[in-house]
Amino acid sequence: MSNVEQSQESCVLHLKILVQELKQFSPPKKSDPLSAGFDIGGTNIRGLALGNDGELTELHQRRHFGDLKSIVDSIVEISMQIETTTNKKIRNIGIGCAGLVDSNGVVKTSPNIQAIENFPLRTDVEEKMQIPVVVENDANCAAWAEAKLGAAQGRNNAIVVSFGTGIGAGILLNGELQKGASGYAGEIGHMVIEKEGLPCPCGKRGCWEQYASGSALGRIANEMLNEKTITKMKTNTDFQNTLITSEQIGIAAQENHPEAIRVIKAYSEQVAIGLGNLTKALDPEVIILGGAITAIGEPLLQPIKKSYAEIAASESDSANVEILLARFGNKAGSIGAAIFANQIL
Ligand SMILES: [Zn+2]
């Protein structure tokens, strides 16, 4: 081999190495990899991934123990599991978390997951995963999922209300999610509807979520039982000798049990008071009801719509507001977080 040929071969070799290095360090093609979304709840972490084609992977769920290690480890483990099952790389991560999240991805307050308060969640997961991460409030994530791909798709003015242990909302006005001056917009569970009412963990009394959260449904049932407004229910779920839970009322209502239907009616009136007030303040096109409680379905939706119509009956501005069930159920937070990651990062 001549010197010229040797030199040419060496050049080709260098070029090949350079191309390999470039492949290694150039950003992955946007059309291929996934955006992962996580929803950190009080007891579980849920995660899934979204492709650029809008396709979603299955939902993975892990129980965490309220400590930082199990929360962050779950995010890493679920991410690896998604990459293995899809054979695709995750290029960014969105995380939804209950509470106030600042612009640096630090969760400032989170009453149900106290270990995470003031923890730099975004930078910690970024360091472990070596990809960009965004952290958002969980109700905002759920609202964004419904707005972009779900029941509020195509609507510019929507309120997505999540009924869980408490009540939170994502508020969409003119197509934009509202955060307010300090990021607290949507903390609607703490609107006071009863001046000297039931005590709330926030320190106030009479907050709406004490009367209308998912947990409040069970409390209302037990109150009605104690006041003998209803009698003990004998249903397939057989809960005669224990405290009645919201889930049991939901199942009994689906079975068309008359006592459960009366409980749901009383609960729906409390829900409608808050929805009526929100309508006056925000003039939405549609109100989307989400959270575990809405798995009850039509036996819950219809009484809420009826009570809402009674409260707003004489108001022309409220007459056209649609009330719909959320599309994504317990996936909404993860889906919204993945959409945020896909759009922002
Ligand atoms: Zn409160």
Side-chain angles (χ1 to χ4, degrees), residues 98-103 105-110 116-119 184:
L100 178 65
V101 182
D102 76 8
S103 55
V106 178
V107 183
K108 301 306 285 183
T109 59
S110 191
I116 216 163
E117 286 186 1
N118 290 314
F119 177 67
Y184 275 114

Side-chain angles (χ1 to χ4, degrees), residues 189-192 198-210:
H190 302 286
M191 297 188 300
V192 175
L198 295 168
C200 181
C202 75
K204 298 275 192 298
R205 298 186 81 93
C207 293
W208 184 40
E209 68 180 35
Q210 294 308 313

Side-chain angles (χ1 to χ4, degrees), residues 12 21 23 38 45 128 136 171 177 243 274 285 309 334:
V12 169
E21 281 176 351
K23 271 186 184 167
F38 291 89
I45 291 188
K128 289 200 167 61
E136 250 296 345
I171 298 165
L177 212 46
L243 275 177
E285 301 162 55
S334 311

Side-chain angles (χ1 to χ4, degrees), residues 95-99 101 134-138 140-141 177 179 337 340 344:
I95 302 173
C97 187
V101 182
V134 60
V135 183
E136 250 296 345
N137 169 270
D138 60 345
N140 282 348
C141 288
L177 212 46
K179 295 194 174 185
F340 273 127
I344 297 168

